Amino acid sequence: MSGLQAESLSVRYGDLVALRSLELDLGPGSLVAVTGPSGAGKSTLLWALAGALAPTEGRVRYAETVLASREQAAGLGVVIVPQGNGLASSLTASENVVVPLLSTGVAAADAHRRAAAALALVGLEESGTHLIEELSGGQQQRVALARAFAARADVLLADEPTSDLDAANRERTMAALRTEAARGAIVVMATHDPEAAAEADGELHLDEGWPPGGADWCDGPVSAASSLSVIPVPGPGAEDVVVGTHGRDEGAVFTGTADGSIFRIGHDARRIDRVAHTGGRPLGIEIDPDGRLLVCDAHRGILRIDPATGGVEPVLHRVQGRPMVFCNNAAIASSGDVWFSDSSTRFGIEQWKDDFVQDTRTGRLLRLGPDGEVEVVLDGLAFANGVALSRDEAFVAVAETAARTVVRLWLAGERAGQRDYLVPDLPGYPDNIARGSDGLIWVTIASPRDPLLERIQHGPPWLRRQVTRIPERLQPKPKRTVRVQAYDDQGWLVHDCDVRDAGYHMVTGVREHEGRVWMGSLEEPAVAVLNL
């Protein structure tokens, strides 16, 4: 095994400098923790070391070879375990470990032995036959680590390997990483976990060059430091946002509030006009090709609104002969098909916490055709929420708030009709999602993961019902946060924008437009905008 060096390594994204002239020289047997606040460039460093990001300046060298591509680095034994895990949901845990080994020429019998040993190393010896989608987020994370251990990497790069693990499994994971280093591998882990960092042989703290604490951060394989502006609107709960793209409304922002109002925020945010009233509770907002707004109203279903006249046209309220209970969010295809979510068939928006805590899994994804025909395409969803189409419309994605996932339904190609996950394990509870002008699917994280809430969700039905009957002040509440993420069509995390001390919270709507990320909130009488 040889050393891993970063020589004057800098990575820029436009005007953003993510890494600045970094020097690194690691020998076999090293276990190093890369620490620092969100936005410091930890993930960027790992991807650059893996050969997946081309440096703007400097170079990465391993085994006396300058790394020029991910394929080349993989051929030299450089393995990366990303935050998203990258597991195949249609395979079992064991198959996810075995298949990569077979593809590199490992004999089948040896591949199965190595897979069994690696799964045992992470405490999953009894879970090898389980499909990935049957495993928890933490278990999936350990399968991804097992896959790396089975590969017997010369360089192992792990992004947040202990996140969302309990104390016992964190210690098990750290022991396995130490074992890899003892074998002679170079192990580099990016982590926010101070206990995990303390167990490493050394620590590289990334911080210099970024704004001081309390600033607004974006981090991930592509990252940006940003600033947040809050724009009050004359109504409570500006839940979603959409940006006009043509005509007089180009650059204007629309939002809907709890009193039924639809507001238009002018291009410079100095003028705010109420352009319509739905008579219900508007949630998701899209723009039709003809310039009208398509609104998902929690009480009235799908509406079309002319922002110039204020005219409201009811489009759809009943599905299969029954009124929708919780129409939530939509995306419009180039064909004119409207893909939309109905969050619950049991609880309306006023009782959204009941559905969330009781985990009724009665959410649906539906399609409304140009001819008016309605089809339920997915059901049994855990609080169906935001909806978005891929750049080429090969799949439609829907957020499951209660399960912390983004489900993907393939519409075209060899996988047409199949369901899998675009994101199987989000760091918090998603609300609306939307495809931005950058082609990425942006996901709101309305609140970070709550272990107590998830224990309640997995408890007996009587317990879940009782929790929703206790006084409001004692029920689990969303934690204050401002966070949005962006994923490409393969499910890779591109942006992770986590804004601290913002004076704004519970982001439920998101729309990226030409480098600006607009946000709405179910709780705030305001929208916000983040400059990437």
Side-chain angles (χ1 to χ4, degrees), residues 170-201:
R170 182 180 62 235
E171 181 54 38
R172 190 195 304 270
T173 295
M174 290 305 303
L177 292 173
R178 287 195 297 270
T179 298
E180 288 296 290
R183 181 178 58 80
I186 298 170
V187 181
V188 183
M189 64 172 182
T191 183
H192 283 93
D193 183 347
E195 294 183 24
E199 296 187 41
D201 300 326

Side-chain angles (χ1 to χ4, degrees), residues 487-504:
Y487 293 84
D488 67 16
D489 287 352
Q490 287 71 50
W492 290 104
L493 178 65
V494 177
H495 293 289
D496 187 359
C497 302
D498 191 355
V499 185
R500 295 169 292 167
D501 302 325
Y504 192 80

Side-chain angles (χ1 to χ4, degrees), residues 45 134 139 148 185 194 200 224 259 273 302 317 366 389 437 469 521:
L45 174 59
E134 297 173 341
Q139 289 173 320
D259 59 2
D273 297 302
I302 295 179
H317 180 54
L366 305 96
L389 288 154
S437 65
R469 292 171 182 165
S521 168

